Amino acid sequence: MLFGRTQTWLIVGLGNPGTKYQNTRHNIGQIALDALAGDGKFEKHKSGMLVCSKKLSDKKLLLAKSTGFMNETGNPASALAKFFKVLPENVIVVHDELDLPFGKLRIKLGGSDNGHNGLKSMTTHFGADYYRVRLGIGRPTNKMNPADFVLQKFTTAENKLLMDFSITAAQAIETLILDGLAKAQTNFND
């Protein structure tokens, strides 16, 4: 569905496909998108993304999850943005962040990929100046490799807080779109 002159935003939740990766720390971006979608349904788009369309005030939101692996998200996300004529300044990527404790979030514009393969893929196709909603997952407390840690399921304690955290992330995204970066940072950055 083409939205005409209404401002359209593309919100990409990073994650990996399949039940093996469901409810893992690396998929928290997609979990937050589910909270933002509410009762909306994700459907396969020819770009290769699962897409849920939502209206927010006078804005149209395209919530998108890749059907491929995180390190390949940029290509289908770029195809989706081109199809719906989404301006680069209206792209938001929601992703896991090792450098924030679980339950904390930060919103920013631009930056490096900091070794995150999903961000690296997005930057390859969009440049670095897109919005990022960084959802804290913390770092492993033992000597576990961070690459293994992000692919683990949430702990029982984290699972109890995950729904509230996802709802907060959804509210932060809505504030970013409706009220701008400064207000979203003031209200939600920890």
Side-chain angles (χ1 to χ4, degrees):
M1 122 181 40
L2 192 57
F3 294 127
R5 296 177 191 258
T6 302
Q7 188 180 47
T8 304
W9 286 77
L10 173 61
I11 302 100
V12 178
L14 294 183
N16 288 315
T19 55
K20 176 180 177 182
Y21 298 105
Q22 228 173 357
N23 281 343
T24 62
R25 292 179 177 91
H26 223 20
N27 279 32
I28 197 167
Q30 293 187 353
I31 294 168
L33 246 60
D34 289 336
L36 183 58
D39 292 336
K41 303 285 185 232
F42 285 85
E43 296 178 5
K44 182 95 178 250
H45 183 267
K46 67 181 181 178
S47 64
M49 303 288 280
L50 294 175
V51 178
C52 174
S53 300
K54 178 178 175 168
K55 188 167 179 164
L56 178 66
S57 185
D58 62 339
K59 316 279 192 262
K60 298 290 183 179
L61 310 185
L62 295 171
L63 314 183
K65 300 190 264 187
S66 178
T67 57
F69 285 95
M70 184 180 293
N71 61 345
E72 301 167 348
T73 304
N75 188 45
S78 176
L80 186 66
K82 286 177 185 157
F83 183 84
F84 285 103
K85 298 178 174 61
V86 177
L87 301 173
E89 59 265 25
N90 290 353
V91 175
I92 301 170
V93 177
V94 188
H95 66 91
D96 58 305
E97 179 58 63
L98 283 164
D99 291 330
L100 291 173
F102 178 81
K104 303 289 184 186
L105 71 82
R106 297 252 169 84
I107 304 161
K108 70 177 198 168
L109 175 62
S112 74
D113 60 56
N114 200 22
H116 193 294
N117 288 330
L119 293 178
K120 192 177 296 182
S121 179
M122 291 296 293
T123 298
T124 297
H125 293 275
F126 287 92
D129 293 329
Y130 50 86
Y131 291 101
R132 296 130 193 259
V133 178
R134 303 163 58 212
L135 304 178
I137 60 167
R139 285 196 170 271
T141 54
N142 51 27
K143 295 184 183 209
M144 179 185 292
N145 182 333
D148 295 329
F149 176 74
V150 299
L151 296 178
Q152 286 191 337
K153 305 268 186 202
F154 291 101
T155 65
T156 302
E158 290 168 337
N159 266 320
K160 289 179 183 174
L161 304 171
L162 188 57
M163 182 54 70
D164 286 341
F165 187 28
S166 299
I167 291 168
T168 299
Q171 292 167 341
I173 294 164
E174 289 178 348
T175 301
L176 173 60
I177 292 167
L178 293 175
D179 301 318
L181 180 61
K183 176 105 182 232
Q185 288 175 324
T186 298
N187 289 359
F188 292 96
N189 280 9
D190 289 321

